[in-house]
Amino acid sequence: MPVLDGGEPNSLARAERLKKKIYESELEMLQTQLVKMQYWIKEKGFRMIILFEGRDAAGKGGTIKRLTEPLNPRGARVVALGTPSDQQKTQWYFQRYVEHFPAAGEIVVFDRSWYNRAGVERVMGFCTPNEVEAFLEDCPQFERMLVRSGVLLLKYWFSVSDTEQEERFQSRIDDPTRRWKLSPMDLEARNRWVEFSEAKDVMFASTNIPEAPWFTVEADDKRRARLNCLRHVLSKVPWEDMTPPAIELPPRPKQGSYNRPPINEQFFVPNHYPYDQASD
């Protein structure tokens, strides 16, 4: 039987996918509300951090895309940090994350976060046991300080079964345009399923604090996972509809005369799609 992210057997062989028509209708509605929420956040000077953690191929990236694609990128940023540099390794552990934190009116989304220390770094041996222990002790204090400063911190863990992860890994292998999503590190993590389960349980036990609790997203069905997460984000912000009224386009003013350069002096991208096929 499939094994859920927490290590327990799943009673269903495979999650039934939400119908596409329902998914698209709900997604459009939720994304419209997200835009309204962002207007409120900007107007009120609200600060918001949303971080996404979970197994490889659990659906974090797809949810982040649906969350951010309708938003104004000037007020909503995605942060996905790579391997720390030699200089960053000598810094306070949280330092390189703090520099990306939001100012007033901003939303920052972390595609993986400081919890790398309690997950992949621990399991893969990229840090010492003492460093993990220090992180688990410091992190709750760090997050309490963050919340006390007025930042809304939402932490999501995407939970996926081992069988569903296997299928997603294979689909990435089969699709040349998506193979970049599967790294040797992902394959090694696949071999350490139980170790990651243990690391996740220890992490939750230390960092699931009232000020910033963990919210688990059941993610075997990507469509349901995305919709449920977006709904939850919207429910955690006390937003009101502050969408500005639509502007009216006045008649275009008359233009003065101007002789443009000959069109044959410009370079154009070739059109490989004839216009007689445009109305099919």
Side-chain angles (χ1 to χ4, degrees):
M1 285 191 296
V3 178
L4 289 174
D5 188 68
E8 296 298 325
N10 187 358
S11 60
L12 296 177
R14 181 173 174 81
E16 180 184 352
R17 252 179 133 190
L18 184 67
K19 288 182 170 51
K20 185 176 181 180
K21 185 175 181 181
I22 296 174
Y23 168 70
E24 291 179 344
S25 174
E26 287 291 299
L27 180 62
E28 181 180 4
M29 179 271 293
L30 292 171
Q31 288 186 328
T32 300
Q33 292 188 354
L34 286 169
V35 172
K36 295 177 180 179
M37 181 190 77
Q38 188 182 26
Y39 278 122
W40 182 88
I41 286 174
K42 181 179 179 181
E43 179 67 25
K44 297 296 184 180
F46 200 73
R47 291 177 294 157
M48 184 176 183
I49 295 175
I50 312 172
L51 62 86
F52 290 80
E53 296 286 348
R55 301 275 187 179
D56 299 315
K60 301 179 296 296
T63 304
I64 291 171
K65 179 179 179 181
R66 273 69 181 184
L67 170 66
T68 58
E69 65 185 353
L71 301 181
N72 184 341
R74 292 184 178 88
R77 294 180 281 116
V78 177
V79 178
L81 301 183
T83 304
S85 65
D86 290 340
Q87 180 189 31
Q88 289 171 331
K89 290 177 182 178
T90 68
Q91 297 173 344
W92 176 50
Y93 176 72
F94 297 96
Q95 187 168 336
R96 73 186 188 120
Y97 297 99
V98 170
E99 66 182 56
H100 297 282
F101 280 7
E106 290 184 337
I107 304 168
V108 174
V109 178
F110 279 93
D111 186 354
R112 297 202 182 276
S113 65
W114 47 91
Y115 282 100
N116 279 337
R117 172 60 43 99
V120 65
E121 290 186 17
R122 169 184 172 165
V123 174
M124 295 299 184
F126 296 151
C127 62
T128 67
N130 286 340
E131 288 174 325
V132 175
E133 185 178 350
F135 171 83
L136 294 175
E137 182 178 342
D138 293 344
C139 185
Q141 300 178 54
F142 170 70
E143 292 181 354
R144 288 187 183 102
M145 291 172 60
L146 184 60
V147 173
R148 280 200 303 269
S149 75
V151 175
L152 173 63
L153 174 60
L154 297 178
K155 305 187 303 192
Y156 292 105
W157 178 272
F158 277 64
S159 180
V160 66
S161 65
D162 56 349
T163 53
E164 181 64 25
Q165 186 189 59
E166 285 288 299
E167 291 193 18
R168 293 179 187 179
F169 277 1
Q170 190 60 53
S171 70
R172 292 178 178 184
I173 293 171
D174 295 340
D175 185 349
T177 67
R178 300 172 67 238
R179 284 180 193 159
W180 62 269
K181 291 188 173 185
L182 193 61
S183 69
M185 185 69 66
D186 297 331
L187 296 179
E188 182 57 32
R190 170 179 173 269
N191 296 333
R192 304 191 186 193
W193 182 276
V194 174
E195 293 177 65
F196 270 97
S197 293
E198 180 184 0
K200 176 237 179 177
D201 291 341
V202 171
M203 180 183 79
F204 267 41
S206 298
T207 62
N208 188 33
I209 58 176
E211 297 87 345
W214 279 102
F215 296 102
T216 298
V217 180
E218 295 181 338
D220 267 16
D221 177 17
K222 290 182 179 181
R223 292 173 180 172
R224 286 183 171 87
R226 292 166 185 170
L227 298 180
N228 286 331
C229 187
L230 299 192
R231 278 185 174 275
H232 193 267
V233 169
L234 286 162
S235 74
K236 290 298 178 180
V237 180
W239 62 277
E240 300 174 8
D241 188 355
M242 303 188 77
T243 307
I247 61 173
E248 293 185 12
L249 287 177
R252 191 188 298 271
K254 292 184 179 180
Q255 308 293 311
S257 60
Y258 171 63
N259 294 322
R260 303 188 67 183
I263 196 169
N264 59 6
E265 294 181 1
Q266 303 177 40
F267 294 99
F268 288 88
V269 174
N271 178 23
H272 289 279
Y273 308 96
Y275 281 99
D276 58 5
Q277 300 177 4
S279 60
D280 288 349

